Amino acid sequence: SVLIFCEFLIYYVVIFQCQWPEVEVGAHAGKKATSVLKAMFLADTHLLGEIKGHWLDKLRREWQMERSFQTAVWLLQPDIVFILGDIFDEGKWSSPQAWADDVRRFRKMFKYPISTELVVVVGNHDIGFHYEMTAYKVNRFEKVFNFTSGKLITRKGINFVLVNSVAMEGDGCALCRTAEAKLVALSHKLNCSQQKPNHSNKRCSDVEKLPASEPILLQHYPLYRSSDAECSGEDSAPPEEKNVPFKEKYDVLSQEASQKLMWWFHPRLILSGHTHSACEVLHAGKIPEISVPSFSWRNRNNPSFVMGSITPTDFSLQKCFLPYESRVFTIYWAAGALLVILVLARFQLLTPPFYFAQRLISKHKAV
């Protein structure tokens, strides 16, 4: 019973307590009221590979993530799920055979119904850091997940911009130039779409118009911040790590790349991963960035994902925690101790305390 509870039922008990946040649904740009998009955001699943991944570790972590994801999708019924990079742990150096096996396991774990859409953003462990990134690795990721940097996804009038943050190195490499060119072109489309109808601009005359909604930026690396010192919450970085300075282009994007993205898109919300810990930062005093913690128990005792209720003009976010692994182990230890006591008592190998006391009293009276 304890095994069934800890490995299956506990996910229903915990995730059932999560509720979609409420957001105002109003008229947008003079049109009729729009419906709310229910979006889930998770990050850093880090499916173990054949080089560093021990089979028992794989079995345990992948079962936990599969049960969590399948339970969340079944109970919460999101419209769309975004995974913000580092899907795999060894994509940066995996062979074609290992890559195919990783993809197969990912598709099994993260199956989703027809009513839900899954969108994946690339991370440094999927294609390598900038100095490891090659066209071959990028292409095989794009082929599997239909991802391109500078890709726009529009759902219910809401614009999501997907960024390959690994390619935001700013050194003019071929992949970096291509990624930045796509982002600039998309920025132009979005900016033209947000202009008023009577605003005359020749540069926008032939541009395809998109919904006039400020975009939401989705990427793996966070925008530049000096450290996690200002981050708070039970799933923020441990105290000993908060004041460790971040390295640009490694822990976070460079200041230059961060300014470019802000200037190009003027996003109303940014979501990122990479740090494995939660953080909320206000850029330019008004644009929130949410760092989504790792979805894997290998990286955290308390994984979580973010639930968003989003309209073209507003959004509301809520965090949903998964079962704490320490609590699961506590249940197992308590059940194991109780089982040992019951077995010893059943075979009369454990003397009940009152029998022991009774014998001591009898000997005392005899004396």
Side-chain angles (χ1 to χ4, degrees), residues 209-224:
K209 292 301 172 67
L210 302 169
S213 173
E214 293 178 326
I216 295 174
L217 214 57
L218 304 178
Q219 57 194 50
H220 182 62
Y221 285 165
L223 294 188
Y224 175 79

Side-chain angles (χ1 to χ4, degrees), residues 152-160 210-211:
L152 177 75
I153 291 179
T154 302
R155 300 293 181 269
K156 296 187 177 181
I158 303 157
N159 297 315
F160 296 95
L210 302 169

Side-chain angles (χ1 to χ4, degrees), residues 239-265:
E240 64 273 13
E241 296 179 10
K242 283 191 174 182
N243 292 310
V244 177
F246 280 152
K247 181 180 176 182
E248 292 185 51
K249 305 180 183 181
Y250 188 87
D251 299 307
V252 292
L253 285 178
S254 66
Q255 296 184 58
E256 180 186 1
S258 301
Q259 290 169 359
K260 281 183 179 179
L261 290 172
M262 295 282 285
W263 184 64
W264 287 339
F265 295 105

Side-chain angles (χ1 to χ4, degrees), residues 227-232 242-243:
S227 69
D228 269 352
E230 302 301 319
C231 306
S232 59
K242 283 191 174 182
N243 292 310

Side-chain angles (χ1 to χ4, degrees), residues 131-158:
Y131 54 85
E132 298 172 309
M133 179 178 61
T134 64
Y136 169 75
K137 295 174 187 175
V138 173
N139 290 338
R140 74 176 180 182
F141 187 91
E142 291 179 350
K143 184 177 179 181
V144 171
F145 296 107
N146 191 28
F147 170 85
T148 55
S149 182
K151 182 176 181 178
L152 177 75
I153 291 179
T154 302
R155 300 293 181 269
K156 296 187 177 181
I158 303 157

Side-chain angles (χ1 to χ4, degrees), residues 126-340:
D126 302 314
I127 59 174
F129 283 100
H130 173 258
Y131 54 85
E132 298 172 309
M133 179 178 61
T134 64
Y136 169 75
K137 295 174 187 175
V138 173
N139 290 338
R140 74 176 180 182
F141 187 91
E142 291 179 350
K143 184 177 179 181
V144 171
F145 296 107
N146 191 28
F147 170 85
T148 55
S149 182
K151 182 176 181 178
L152 177 75
I153 291 179
T154 302
R155 300 293 181 269
K156 296 187 177 181
I158 303 157
N159 297 315
F160 296 95
V161 176
L162 312 184
V163 178
N164 177 0
S165 47
V166 184
M168 295 298 294
E169 187 78 6
D171 64 348
C173 75
L175 292 171
C176 301
R177 287 199 309 270
T178 302
E180 288 201 15
K182 290 179 180 178
L183 290 170
V184 170
L186 180 56
S187 166
H188 180 57
K189 279 186 181 181
L190 286 167
N191 290 334
C192 287
S193 300
Q194 292 181 38
Q195 292 182 5
K196 295 179 180 179
N198 58 356
H199 189 279
S200 59
N201 189 337
K202 293 181 179 178
R203 294 182 66 240
C204 295
S205 58
D206 297 328
V207 174
E208 174 194 359
K209 292 301 172 67
L210 302 169
S213 173
E214 293 178 326
I216 295 174
L217 214 57
L218 304 178
Q219 57 194 50
H220 182 62
Y221 285 165
L223 294 188
Y224 175 79
R225 60 176 184 262
S226 58
S227 69
D228 269 352
E230 302 301 319
C231 306
S232 59
E234 58 184 306
D235 56 349
S236 59
E240 64 273 13
E241 296 179 10
K242 283 191 174 182
N243 292 310
V244 177
F246 280 152
K247 181 180 176 182
E248 292 185 51
K249 305 180 183 181
Y250 188 87
D251 299 307
V252 292
L253 285 178
S254 66
Q255 296 184 58
E256 180 186 1
S258 301
Q259 290 169 359
K260 281 183 179 179
L261 290 172
M262 295 282 285
W263 184 64
W264 287 339
F265 295 105
H266 303 285
R268 55 179 169 137
L269 174 65
I270 305 161
L271 290 117
S272 57
H274 190 56
T275 64
H276 297 176
S277 300
C279 190
E280 183 172 346
V281 182
L282 274 181
H283 296 286
K286 60 180 180 178
I287 302 172
E289 178 182 6
I290 308 298
S291 288
V292 181
S294 174
F295 193 69
S296 173
W297 281 261
R298 190 166 180 260
N299 299 321
R300 303 198 57 83
N301 175 49
N302 57 343
S304 62
F305 57 89
V306 173
M307 303 164 61
S309 298
I310 308 172
T311 68
T313 57
D314 202 0
F315 63 86
S316 182
L317 304 178
Q318 180 84 25
K319 191 166 291 180
C320 181
F321 282 94
L322 302 176
Y324 282 51
E325 190 162 50
S326 57
R327 293 174 184 172
V328 172
F329 285 156
T330 300
I331 294 172
Y332 273 131
W333 279 112
L338 179 61
L339 184 61
V340 169

